[in-house]
Amino acid sequence: MSIYVVGHKNPDTDSICAAISYAALKQAMGEDATAIRCGEINKETQYALDYFDVAAPILATKVEAGQKVIQVDHNEVGQAIDGLADAELIEIVDHHRFGGLNTAGPIYVHTEPVGCTSTIIANMFWDKNINIPKDIAGLLLSAIMSDTVLYKSPTCTDKDHDAAEKLAEIAEVDLHEYAMAMLKAGAGVGDKTPAEIAKTDSKPFSFGSYKALVSQISVMDTAEVLDMKADITAAMKDICDKEGYNLIMLMVTDIIEESTDLVFYGEPKKLIADAFKQDASGDCIHLPGVMSRKKQIVPPLTEAAAKF
Ligand SMILES: [Mn+2]
């Protein structure tokens, strides 16, 4: 039975490209591995897949009991494919915080505090002296450019930078030109409904006893989202009511200005006020210099919740 390699729900470019690339590495090592995905491909990822002419992983919303699974780009249960608890998790390759990891048996874990899972995977190829095919190099590069927002995110490390430069050579692309085109393809609201905007690139988190959803949309101009703020917060109320969240936050991240407007609905607003030391009695706060959910949004919320 083929081992499934899968990224998180509501997959981003790293989750898709890391799954494809890690399955390719496993195959190059003589193992039977298949990339799968547990969600729709976003526009940015589709641009990368089309550009390098790679098929999307097979869509699977659930894994069967006993299925061997490798998780890439996540480890938190709430972000994982359904059925994982009854499947056999054998390995994790990731660059996120550990959010309550429990496994039935011992497993392989490869995590590093770098900007992108695909950086770790590129280095695994090189450490094993396995050549990275051109199309896989292109996908790994795409993921690094996406996760680090063209190196601008504070999560970006020298290791991401070095890997991206080498991958761009293998993929034979002009790094900046390609990355800008890819980010542009994924940026903005397009034809999304307010509810879809509220759930863009969303991930569930627990902050203390509060269930929260933190979404992120990248834009070249925040006005196109902020002009719809009333409709978006109304959609957030619906999502809270239906899915049992206490709080929904949408990071509207301006990739040119390198700042985020955090639009939110729910309670306690004091959690947001404490975390970001701002008046959060409205439905939006401006956070200059903030681009990373993982480094600049989740940690202050976790800290603030611990003091509740
Ligand atoms: Mn990632």
Side-chain angles (χ1 to χ4, degrees), residues 221-279:
D221 175 11
T222 55
E224 63 169 325
V225 178
L226 298 181
D227 286 352
M228 299 171 72
K229 192 156 56 80
D231 292 332
I232 293 169
T233 51
M236 286 174 166
K237 180 185 186 307
D238 259 10
I239 298 165
C240 278
D241 292 347
K242 282 190 193 128
E243 300 180 30
Y245 290 106
N246 301 102
L247 202 52
I248 300 188
M249 289 161 263
L250 170 67
M251 297 172 65
V252 184
T253 301
D254 188 321
I255 59 183
I256 308 293
E257 296 283 323
E258 301 180 35
S259 67
T260 288
D261 286 283
L262 191 69
V263 177
F264 49 85
Y265 175 85
E267 295 294 338
K269 287 185 175 180
K270 189 178 181 317
L271 185 67
I272 296 172
D274 289 1
F276 304 107
K277 309 202 167 37
Q278 282 200 37
D279 173 13

